[in-house]
Amino acid sequence: MSTDWKAYPAASFHDELVGPGGGAREAGRALLRCLSGLGDDEIAVRQQAAELAIKAMGITFTVYHEQDGSIDRAWPLDIIPRTISRREWLRIEAGLRQRALALNRFIDDIYHAQRCIADGIVPASIIASSKNYRPQCRGIDPPLGTWAHICGSDLVRDADGTVYVLEDNLRVPSGVSYMIENRHVIKRVFPELFENAAILPVDDYPLQLFDTLAALSPRKETRPEVVVLTPGIYNSAYFEHAYLARQMGCELVEGRDLAVDGDDCVYMQTVRGWTRVDVIYRRIDDDFLDPESFRADSTLGVPGLMRAWASGKVALANAPGAGVADDKLVYSYVPDLIRYYLGEDAILPNVPSWRCGEPRHLDHVLGHLDELVVKPVDGSGGYGILMGPASTQRERAQFAAALKADPRSFIAQPVIRLSTVPTFVTDRLEPRHVDLRPFILSGPQTWVTTGGLTRVALRKGSLVVNSSQGGGSKDTWIVDTEA
Amino acid sequence: MLARVVENVYWLARYLERAENTARLVNVNTNLVLDLPAGFAPGWMLLVDISGGREVFDALGGRAEDANTERRVVRFLLSERQNAGSLVSSLRMAHENARTLREVLPSEVSEQLNEFYAEFTRDIANGINKRTRFEFLKQTVLRLQTLAGQLDGTMNRNDAFTFLQIGRNLERADMTSRIVDVRSAQLLPAETPELRPFDTVQWMSVLKSLSGYQMYRLRMRSRVRRADVMQFLLRDDQFPRACGFCLERISDALRGLPRSAEVLALLDDAARFLGVANLETLDQAGLHELVDRLQLEIQGIHDGIAKSYFPSRDGANRPLLAARAGEPAQSQSSR
């Protein structure tokens, strides 16, 4: 059996591979031709081969299990790639670069003169309502004035084909290692397509990351000692921490390996003595970074690390406090911030957002609860969200009460009808919803991954793409259709 | 290399070695019990004592002498998660340590260990069941030796490998000395004429629990006698599980590291002390005293290594600048 592409598209969504009428979109021509020639049985064989390769290559994510400790699960990858034309990608890339630039300017402004507040671009209350604003960072000048060196922005495409930015992750975004490993696996699965189609490579990320980090070193005269700081093996992204350390040739350290000395420098304890550290790519949240400055009960961090960073003896990526822009309320102002700092219109639109703290917006939201998605401004991971169309009367009543009691803590957005990609389910291809997380590196230059990590909701109709909640992933092909 | 990483390598080696020794001990005892006359079998509680787990065993309840002692002891030694010295606990700890060592261990070792741990916990009932136990434990030892072989055959000879050697040999010396001590104390009284034939069987089982019977014959060229077995297990410089051999390997490994003088002196003391005892005339009480002292020396060597090379755990006030100048950091750890 082979898929009948004319009958395939779910009419009410945008499919990334198949256009209306069953023909391939521009970037997916070679892929669709290949899939049509294979048939479901051969696709099943290749899916199995991919799963074996993932096991053999040890690509895992971690689930904590009470009895057996941490269990490494095989990383879920669907072999049908998500395709985007290079022409479209160049526009998206420019939009992401613009966004990262403006967000970094905003963070620097917030911790210095706060011009954006004085000039009435954002309200002063934005600081009080941001859970990730760190007063300890006021007046500090990190190298290059950059705060969010690594940003992961989530993109979604609505039914009419428009690509929106759904959120920006400026704290410790993860997933990039899987983007690279997915490609390694898919090259084994579809070697014929890589020979013939112009699929752009993705595997220079670790080198770009290393260069971005090394440029932050306070000691210009020596080879910088860059380390990756992990919370440890129980963290769900531990695979990625170890992967990036190995790929960059850096030590993978935990907080207890480091200490800040009387000279405010950071040292790591090696078997042959203490060695100075210049740059720390930290994969630990601000809260746990330094018990002297943040949570005193943290055993993951390094006492005195903030002091070392503030005095410029060590660079931290991302800088503490960068998460201030990782907030749904700030998100709603990003197009204004781009205009304010860069004098340009935003290339990539935001999902339209109603700020419930504004009375006019609140009235609209309360009147349309059954159509909207309501989100807490400081939430992440999909917690505490009202999905209007799927909600019950009772849930809407509860949210209405919460909104009236504390309107400033919520924003509301229309439901985005996420685009789909053919996905192998049991024994055939069916459309499943996807998003896309590209990664933006900000340093001396701003650099964007070629594509990113495509996440797919494997359950029919589901919009939940998180791997911890049964989501899978796909390789993402930026295809040069003019080559 | 990071101090924490070499500590984890050290413990990985110790846990793998401990797991292998536990599998051997249970297997050999299962066989020995079949050879001895009913009522004289040294029984199973002995193994609990060798593993140093008597208190935990008693705390878990049940009487030592009840009818199901064998089953209870075997379960305690193989699958009891509350027993930190059980085979499953050793494997679990080895597995956890290996997870922190992705960047230094050859990837085939991590994969093997992952797979082996999953299979072991799935099939553990075969180790409890008397009929399938021999094969299960034989396979367990084989898998562990495969891992040891992969480590030897594929790891760079760097600081991590040095600590792998140190951990493995210290655990071996520790286990060999425990086996000599506890087993010899519980041997049947040799002076009873009707039990003499069994004397040899029991000393043979001591050797076999260390995979040393064949090597003993090859090396000592004598029948199995108490004094010769002692000489072989405690002092031999060719048998890789002999205490003397293991201590010498640790010294070799340490010579390539900075700040090793203190621990090397401890190792010399231990070797000298082992060398002077007269094994021909040593009675049971004397032997016990000797092993006791040896155990203390081994603990002291561990403490010395931890103090010189492992991360100190006493918090913020570490004398960093002093430590960098060559003084070992303060440590209160003895894990």
Side-chain angles (χ1 to χ4, degrees):
Chain A
M1 260 289 286
S2 155
T3 307
D4 175 4
W5 295 107
K6 286 201 172 52
Y8 160 85
S12 50
F13 302 103
H14 177 102
D15 192 87
E16 299 281 345
L17 180 65
V18 183
R25 292 186 192 277
E26 191 189 14
R29 281 192 193 127
L31 176 63
L32 190 65
R33 201 161 43 238
C34 169
L35 292 179
S36 302
L38 287 180
D40 291 346
D41 289 349
E42 174 61 18
I43 293 172
V45 168
R46 294 198 188 196
Q47 178 69 38
Q48 279 164 14
E51 281 161 19
L52 280 176
I54 285 168
K55 217 177 151 218
M57 293 161 75
I59 310 170
T60 57
F61 72 108
T62 304
V63 181
Y64 189 71
H65 187 274
E66 242 171 53
Q67 196 181 45
D68 296 320
S70 297
I71 295 299
D72 294 333
R73 292 263 165 81
W75 171 250
L77 167 64
D78 178 81
I79 60 166
I80 313 300
R82 182 253 189 87
T83 47
I84 301 173
S85 77
R86 178 163 179 269
R87 191 177 327 119
E88 179 177 25
W89 181 252
L90 288 177
R91 197 185 65 87
I92 293 174
E93 191 184 296
L96 291 168
R97 203 177 281 134
Q98 181 193 48
R99 208 170 166 94
L101 217 51
L103 285 167
N104 270 297
R105 296 277 289 275
F106 168 72
I107 302 166
D108 202 51
D109 189 14
I110 282 291
Y111 291 119
H112 290 93
Q114 302 189 341
R115 285 195 301 122
C116 59
I117 294 173
D119 290 340
I121 308 299
V122 297
S125 63
I126 208 159
I127 291 175
S129 70
S130 172
K131 208 178 64 176
N132 297 304
Y133 171 75
R134 308 286 173 199
Q136 298 91 331
C137 298
R138 283 300 297 268
I140 291 176
D141 294 306
L144 309 168
T146 306
W147 293 73
H149 311 88
I150 299 104
C151 171
S153 292
D154 291 346
L155 305 179
V156 293
R157 194 197 295 275
D158 204 356
D160 66 0
T162 310
V163 172
Y164 293 99
V165 179
L166 185 64
E167 62 183 47
D168 306 292
N169 297 283
L170 300 159
R171 286 175 286 171
V172 286
S174 62
V176 75
S177 57
Y178 300 113
M179 172 191 84
I180 301 166
E181 290 291 67
N182 282 358
R183 175 61 57 86
H184 289 158
V185 174
I186 295 301
K187 269 188 188 163
R188 296 190 190 183
V189 175
F190 290 118
E192 64 270 42
L193 283 167
F194 283 88
E195 280 163 22
N196 300 321
I199 301 158
L200 303 185
V202 298
D203 47 11
D204 50 348
Y205 180 82
L207 298 175
Q208 295 286 350
L209 177 62
F210 184 83
D211 288 350
T212 303
L213 295 169
L216 307 174
S217 173
R219 289 189 298 174
K220 299 299 176 202
E221 66 283 5
T222 54
R223 187 186 167 277
E225 186 77 59
V226 178
V227 300
V228 178
L229 174 60
T230 174
I233 60 167
Y234 300 108
N235 189 277
S236 61
Y238 181 74
F239 169 86
E240 176 155 308
H241 307 160
Y243 180 89
L244 291 173
R246 205 167 52 218
Q247 293 291 320
M248 292 194 290
C250 298
E251 293 283 2
L252 178 66
V253 305
E254 295 182 15
R256 56 200 159 111
D257 298 321
L258 302 178
V260 179
D261 204 0
D263 58 3
D264 283 351
C265 293
V266 179
Y267 296 88
M268 66 175 162
Q269 192 177 13
T270 77
V271 76
R272 289 169 189 277
W274 292 88
T275 307
R276 180 163 168 200
V277 172
D278 298 301
V279 183
I280 301 176
Y281 177 28
R282 51 98 172 198
R283 297 290 300 250
I284 293 180
D285 277 328
D286 284 356
D287 273 338
F288 299 97
L289 211 47
D290 177 356
E292 287 178 10
S293 292
F294 301 117
R295 275 179 63 160
D297 61 343
S298 169
T299 53
L300 301 175
V302 186
L305 188 57
M306 276 296 282
R307 175 161 43 88
W309 174 70
S311 63
K313 298 290 178 59
V314 73
L316 294 174
N318 289 349
V324 66
D326 190 334
D327 175 283
K328 302 270 182 325
L329 201 56
V330 171
Y331 161 86
S332 73
Y333 288 99
V334 171
D336 306 319
L337 295 173
I338 291 173
R339 205 168 302 116
Y340 178 65
Y341 291 114
L342 309 179
E344 301 168 5
D345 284 332
I347 298 170
L348 291 174
N350 264 10
V351 175
S353 305
W354 284 276
R355 301 176 193 117
C356 302
E358 298 177 19
R360 207 165 39 84
H361 288 197
L362 180 62
D363 287 345
H364 176 89
V365 172
L366 287 172
H368 297 82
L369 276 180
D370 56 341
E371 298 164 19
L372 297 171
V373 185
V374 184
K375 302 175 174 178
V377 292
D378 61 357
S380 70
Y383 295 107
I385 285 182
L386 176 77
M387 283 294 284
S391 64
T392 62
Q393 183 74 45
R394 203 186 131 97
E395 284 166 339
R396 287 195 295 275
Q398 281 170 353
F399 261 80
L403 277 166
K404 283 175 198 157
D406 186 13
R408 281 209 277 196
S409 295
F410 295 92
I411 64 161
Q413 295 169 336
V415 177
I416 301 289
R417 299 159 72 185
L418 300 190
S419 61
T420 58
V421 178
T423 300
F424 192 74
V425 184
T426 319
D427 57 359
R428 61 209 167 103
L429 297 174
E430 291 181 11
R432 289 292 183 272
H433 296 292
V434 296
D435 76 351
L436 177 64
R437 176 176 288 184
F439 295 84
I440 305 110
L441 297 178
S442 301
Q445 290 92 34
T446 309
W447 185 88
V448 183
T449 49
T450 310
L453 178 66
T454 293
R455 299 185 298 177
V456 54
L458 294 174
R459 236 167 359 98
K460 189 168 191 161
S462 169
L463 300 172
V464 180
V465 295
N466 304 62
S467 54
S468 56
Q469 297 180 50
S473 70
K474 284 172 172 291
D475 190 15
T476 308
W477 290 1
I478 305 303
V479 181
D480 189 348
T481 50
E482 286 142 32
Chain B
M1 191 155 292
L2 287 174
R4 175 177 52 81
V5 169
V6 299
E7 181 178 17
N8 288 344
V9 172
Y10 169 88
W11 282 107
L12 171 70
R14 287 199 72 159
Y15 286 122
L16 288 175
E17 186 64 31
R18 195 174 296 173
E20 188 181 325
N21 287 328
T22 307
R24 262 180 228 284
L25 261 182
V26 173
N27 228 7
V28 169
N29 211 62
T30 306
N31 275 325
L32 176 63
V33 167
L34 299 179
D35 278 342
L36 291 178
F40 287 105
W44 286 93
M45 286 311 293
L46 182 60
L47 298 200
V48 176
D49 291 334
I50 292 179
S51 79
R54 189 60 176 256
E55 271 176 41
V56 184
F57 187 85
D58 291 343
L60 284 172
R63 284 171 300 111
E65 285 76 28
D66 71 18
N68 293 319
T69 307
E70 170 178 346
R71 210 178 163 74
R72 283 187 54 225
V73 170
V74 172
R75 199 186 290 278
F76 179 76
L77 291 175
L78 298 187
S79 64
E80 177 56 64
R81 283 171 186 275
Q82 292 184 60
N83 172 15
S86 71
L87 186 42
V88 73
S89 295
S90 296
L91 283 182
R92 180 190 161 151
M93 294 307 292
H95 179 246
E96 291 282 285
N97 273 286
R99 283 173 43 78
T100 68
L101 296 169
R102 273 180 194 275
E103 68 290 6
V104 290
L105 292 184
S107 57
E108 58 262 45
V109 170
S110 316
E111 278 164 40
Q112 271 280 333
L113 188 53
N114 242 337
E115 219 170 89
F116 172 42
Y117 179 60
E119 281 169 23
F120 181 88
T121 48
R122 187 191 65 206
D123 299 338
I124 181 70
N126 293 339
I128 311 294
N129 183 333
K130 208 190 277 195
R131 207 169 44 75
T132 46
R133 186 184 304 152
F134 177 76
E135 190 53 33
F136 177 81
L137 292 175
K138 195 178 124 194
Q139 284 304 320
T140 300
V141 170
L142 190 66
R143 291 293 288 265
L144 286 160
Q145 293 202 317
T146 306
L147 277 168
Q150 282 180 324
L151 287 165
D152 283 355
T154 56
M155 256 180 97
N156 284 353
R157 267 33 181 185
N158 53 14
D159 290 341
F161 190 78
T162 300
F163 280 86
L164 188 82
Q165 301 282 59
I166 294 174
R168 177 187 289 165
N169 282 295
L170 201 65
E171 183 68 28
R172 272 189 194 162
D174 183 61
M175 187 55 109
T176 300
S177 68
R178 277 169 201 261
I179 287 175
V180 168
D181 182 28
V182 183
R183 290 216 88 128
S184 60
Q186 307 244 344
L187 285 176
L188 303 176
E191 50 277 14
T192 322
E194 69 270 23
L195 291 177
R196 188 141 303 151
F198 299 110
D199 191 31
T200 305
V201 173
Q202 293 177 84
W203 279 109
M204 278 168 64
S205 91
V206 172
L207 287 167
K208 281 180 178 168
S209 54
L210 292 160
S211 285
Y213 177 62
Q214 198 191 336
M215 292 299 125
Y216 172 87
R217 297 304 301 250
L218 198 61
R219 174 80 168 134
M220 307 306 281
R221 305 209 174 272
S222 74
R223 54 180 288 271
V224 177
R225 337 175 11 243
R226 183 177 186 272
D228 288 340
V229 174
M230 295 290 154
Q231 162 72 23
F232 181 69
L233 292 180
L234 294 177
R235 288 181 187 159
D236 197 68
D237 60 358
Q238 291 188 0
F239 180 56
R241 295 178 179 275
C243 294
F245 179 95
C246 294
L247 296 178
E248 190 49 39
R249 293 290 78 70
I250 298 171
S251 297
D252 287 350
L254 281 167
R255 281 189 197 103
L257 293 172
R259 309 189 303 277
S260 60
E262 205 178 313
V263 190
L264 282 171
L266 290 175
L267 281 153
D268 283 349
D269 286 350
R272 201 169 316 118
F273 155 77
L274 258 184
V276 297
N278 184 345
L279 298 177
E280 290 290 343
T281 60
L282 204 61
D283 63 3
Q284 192 52 47
L287 177 66
H288 182 68
E289 211 172 290
L290 180 140
V291 172
D292 240 16
R293 167 90 190 273
L294 183 60
Q295 288 265 320
L296 285 176
E297 303 265 359
I298 288 173
Q299 182 60 41
I301 292 165
H302 165 82
D303 291 345
I305 290 168
K307 189 174 150 214
S308 287
Y309 302 111
F310 297 164
S312 43
R313 295 184 208 291
D314 49 0
N317 303 318
R318 288 177 283 182
L320 271 179
L321 292 166
R324 277 204 309 286
E327 259 180 70
Q330 302 272 304
S331 171
Q332 303 171 341
S333 82
S334 65
R335 199 160 126 192

